[in-house]
Structures are given as structure tokens and as C-alpha cells.
Amino acid sequence: MGNDLLAFVVMVIVQLAFAGMIIITKLVMDGGMNPFVQSAYRPIFATISIAPFAFFLERKSRPKLTRSILFQIFLCSIFGITVNQYVYFIGLKNSTPTVVSAIDNLIPAFTFLIAVPMGAEKLGLRNIAGQAKLLGTIICVGGAMVLSLYHGKVVIGQLGFHWKYAESTGKDVNSSGHGNFFTGPFLVIMSSLTYAIWLIIQGKVNEKYAAPYTCITLMCLMASVESVIIGFCVVPKLSEWALNPIRAISVVYNGVVCTSFAYFLSSWCIERKGPLYVSMFNPLLLVISAFLSWTLLREKLYLGVVVGSIIIVVGLYGFLWGQKMETSTDDDIEVMINKEKNQSTKFDLELQLPQNPSFNGHPSAAKTEL
């Protein structure tokens, strides 16, 4: 009971951390911070914060780093951080925190769609589990299309008060989301797709290189170099890279809390409760982000956002339900096979013991013969 409660609290903390990242990042970008600058700073601070863990915890147990593994980590840095963060932050700048949080629930569906042709997942349309996973994926994608293409009327209006700092940005969160209500969600969908690609590649890396802290340090270090080069090509003015207090808080928070700290807590929870349990908390990010955005940034909730979010969450839970059924079935089959093997071994021993000519009923004789 205590472990279950602790895992629940840990995952709530992780979702709160991600919700805070979305809100503060949206705020500083609406205040004038370029998304390319924001994307370049995050892996730098992530590298600084996680490198000590890699050095002290894995310096004696770190396996050999081959060229093949290094290349796969390089691909992870591109898809998992560099490209992913660019399209994510640009999409967030042209959308709202609620929309971004809803679209994040597409990640399990995209991961499934990519894993099937690569042989990492089975479609399994002949059983209920496979049908539920496919149907859940289709529903998730359909919800994302509704959220991206349909705006609708205002369901919940602006709150009477909001964060005073939001006034200094000179930009209304709803105006940016309404003016680019297709571009923003489309880019966030692309970020979910690149993140799903990263999950597939990272899974291959984990099988060959059992040093997670070192792996994430190298990945963040490579992404830092990539992001800084691209960032300076797009934003060459040094004045655009200056960090005022709120911008400094944003980039440090995103790098340290939402990369290093959240990664550690998520890994801890995956080890104890499994990846399915962690995925179940994705919709909580939507609820927290919507509430914080409504209270702090005076975001309006539109009908398309509400309907699309509900459809995505329903599809996500349909997919996770099918995945859980499939996992339970595989576990039951493995238990039955092991049980049959044990029974077969026991039966063979029973047949062999009476036929042993040296066995005269004395335990020591039987033990010596075996």
C-alpha cells in the first residue's frame, strides 16, 4: 500500500513539473523569447545537471561505448531533443498549453504505429487486445484532427484574475492560439511523432548499453551542440540570447527539473510499476495544464479543444486497456508453459527413480544416483 501511494505521488509530481514547464515556456515566448533560443538552452542545463550522476553512479559499471551505439545515441539526440523541442516550442508559441497537453497523449499511439512495421509490436487483429489497441490509436488520431481543424465557440470564458506577469508580455494566449490554431497543433503533432521515433530508437539503445545516466548525458550534450549551431544560424543577434530573471528561471527549470529530475522519477516509477502505469498519468497533464492556463494566463476553452481532448483521452485509455490485456495474456501463457515444464520434469523423475537398480529405498542412495 505504501509503495503504491508513493508511486502515485511521484507521477503526480512529474505531471505537475511538465505542466509548469508548458506554462512558463509559453509565458516567456509570448514575452519575446525566441523558440530556437529556448530550445538551445534546455539541453545545456540538462547536461550540466545530469552529468554528475553519470560520472559518480556509472563510472565503474559503464559498458564499452561502440560506434554503433554512439550513432544510435546521436539519432536519439536529433529526434528526441533537437527536432522534437524545436517543433514543440514553436507549436506551443502558436497554440495554447491546453492544446499542447492534449496532443501529448498521441505519443503511445504514434509509438504503436511505428513499432508495428518494425516488428517491435504485433498488430494482433484476431484478438480483442489487438483490436482495442488499433481502435484506440484511430480514435486518438481522430481526436487530434478534431482539435486541430475545429475551433468552435467558447465553452469556458476567461477568469477574472490572472498572473500579473502575463500582462507584461503584451500578448493574449488566446489570440496566438486562435490566429494559428492549425499551425500550432500540427507542429505539436509532429513533436509527438518525433518523440515516438525517439522511444523506438532509445529502446534499442537500452538493450545494448546499460548505462542510462551516461546515455542521457551524451544525448543532451550532442543536442546542446546541435541546438546552439542551429539557434545561432536562425537567431544571430547576441541580444536575443540574453536571459532576464524570468527567462533564466524558464531555461533552468526546463533543463534541470523537466529533463534530469523528471527523468529520474519516471525511471524509478517504471522500474517498480512498469511503463503502462506511467502512461496512465498522461491525461493528468491535460487537466493540470488547462487549469493553470485558465487561471494564470486567462486562456479560453473552445468547443473544439474540449471535444478533441475528450476523444484523445478515450482513445488513449482504449489503447492502454488493450495493451494491458495483451500483457496479461502473455504473462498467463508464460506461467502455463513454466508450469507444464515443471510438471513434465517432475513426471520424468518419478518414472526414472523406480527403474534405478541401485535405489534401495535409502535417501542417500537416491541422491547419489541423481
Side-chain angles (χ1 to χ4, degrees):
M1 183 63 182
N3 291 333
D4 292 340
L5 179 60
L6 182 59
F8 176 83
V9 172
V10 164
M11 286 313 304
V12 171
I13 291 174
V14 169
Q15 299 306 322
L16 283 170
F18 284 135
M21 179 201 72
I22 294 173
I23 297 298
I24 194 171
T25 302
K26 174 66 175 175
L27 198 61
V28 296
M29 288 194 300
D30 283 351
M33 189 174 189
N34 193 288
F36 286 89
V37 176
Q38 175 73 241
S39 300
Y41 273 118
R42 179 176 180 175
I44 293 175
F45 285 100
T47 304
I48 295 172
S49 61
I50 203 170
F53 292 95
F55 178 77
F56 289 107
L57 298 180
E58 296 177 343
R59 59 178 176 175
K60 295 182 179 180
S61 60
R62 188 183 299 118
K64 183 180 179 181
L65 185 64
T66 63
R67 291 183 179 180
S68 175
I69 296 174
L70 191 63
F71 177 71
Q72 290 179 343
I73 294 176
F74 170 71
L75 293 179
C76 287
S77 71
I78 294 177
F79 288 103
I81 299 181
T82 305
V83 177
N84 176 266
Q85 292 304 305
Y86 280 143
V87 292
Y88 184 88
F89 285 137
I90 297 173
L92 176 60
K93 183 178 177 64
N94 293 280
S95 185
T96 66
T98 303
V99 171
V100 170
S101 303
I103 294 176
D104 275 345
N105 291 294
L106 286 174
I107 293 174
F110 280 146
T111 305
F112 175 68
L113 291 176
I114 297 172
V116 168
M118 294 182 64
E121 286 279 351
K122 295 180 181 180
L123 194 58
L125 293 180
R126 295 183 178 181
N127 53 63
I128 298 178
Q131 295 170 3
K133 290 170 67 176
L134 180 61
L135 182 60
T137 301
I138 295 173
I139 293 174
C140 278
V141 175
M145 293 300 100
V146 171
L147 191 147
S148 303
L149 301 176
Y150 176 66
H151 208 88
K153 61 181 182 179
V154 176
V155 177
I156 301 177
Q158 292 179 340
L159 195 63
F161 66 93
H162 66 296
W163 194 6
K164 287 186 178 181
Y165 181 82
E167 296 177 355
S168 63
T169 62
K171 194 170 186 179
D172 186 2
V173 65
N174 297 289
S175 63
S176 63
H178 186 274
N180 303 280
F181 78 93
F182 174 76
T183 304
F186 175 77
L187 290 175
V188 179
I189 290 173
M190 290 298 101
S191 75
S192 297
L193 180 60
T194 57
Y195 191 83
I197 295 173
W198 170 76
L199 286 175
I200 300 297
I201 303 175
Q202 186 64 44
K204 300 295 183 181
V205 174
N206 291 342
E207 293 176 359
K208 302 176 181 178
Y209 193 70
Y213 290 108
T214 302
C215 179
I216 196 69
T217 299
L218 291 174
M219 187 173 65
C220 290
L221 181 61
M222 292 177 183
S224 299
V225 177
E226 297 159 4
S227 300
V228 168
I229 293 174
I230 297 173
F232 271 111
C233 290
V234 178
V235 189
K237 293 183 179 180
L238 290 177
S239 59
E240 294 288 334
W241 292 76
L243 296 177
N244 58 26
I246 190 67
R247 291 187 180 185
I249 292 174
S250 173
V251 296
V252 172
Y253 178 87
N254 290 349
V256 176
V257 177
C258 295
T259 301
S260 301
F261 183 64
Y263 174 82
F264 171 77
L265 292 181
S266 298
S267 300
W268 178 88
C269 200
I270 288 173
E271 183 180 352
R272 284 156 179 78
K273 304 294 289 185
L276 181 62
Y277 182 86
V278 175
S279 300
M280 294 288 284
F281 284 83
N282 282 355
L284 182 61
L285 176 62
L286 170 60
V287 177
I288 298 173
S289 297
F291 177 76
L292 292 178
S293 185
W294 177 62
T295 55
L296 299 178
L297 305 182
R298 299 183 69 187
E299 177 187 346
K300 297 177 182 178
L301 292 182
Y302 292 88
L303 181 61
V305 175
V306 175
V307 174
S309 300
I310 293 174
I311 294 175
I312 289 175
V313 172
V314 170
L316 173 66
Y317 277 108
F319 174 86
L320 294 176
W321 179 77
Q323 190 177 51
K324 184 177 181 180
M325 284 188 60
E326 190 175 63
T327 304
S328 300
T329 302
D330 292 340
D331 291 342
D332 292 341
I333 292 175
E334 185 176 355
V335 170
M336 290 180 62
I337 292 175
N338 292 333
K339 186 176 180 181
E340 290 178 357
K341 286 182 178 179
N342 292 334
Q343 290 179 346
S344 176
T345 303
K346 182 178 179 181
F347 182 70
D348 291 340
L349 288 173
E350 290 177 349
L351 289 177
Q352 293 173 7
L353 287 175
Q355 298 174 358
N356 188 350
S358 62
F359 177 66
N360 55 7
H362 196 277
S364 60
K367 182 176 180 181
T368 303
E369 182 65 19
L370 286 174

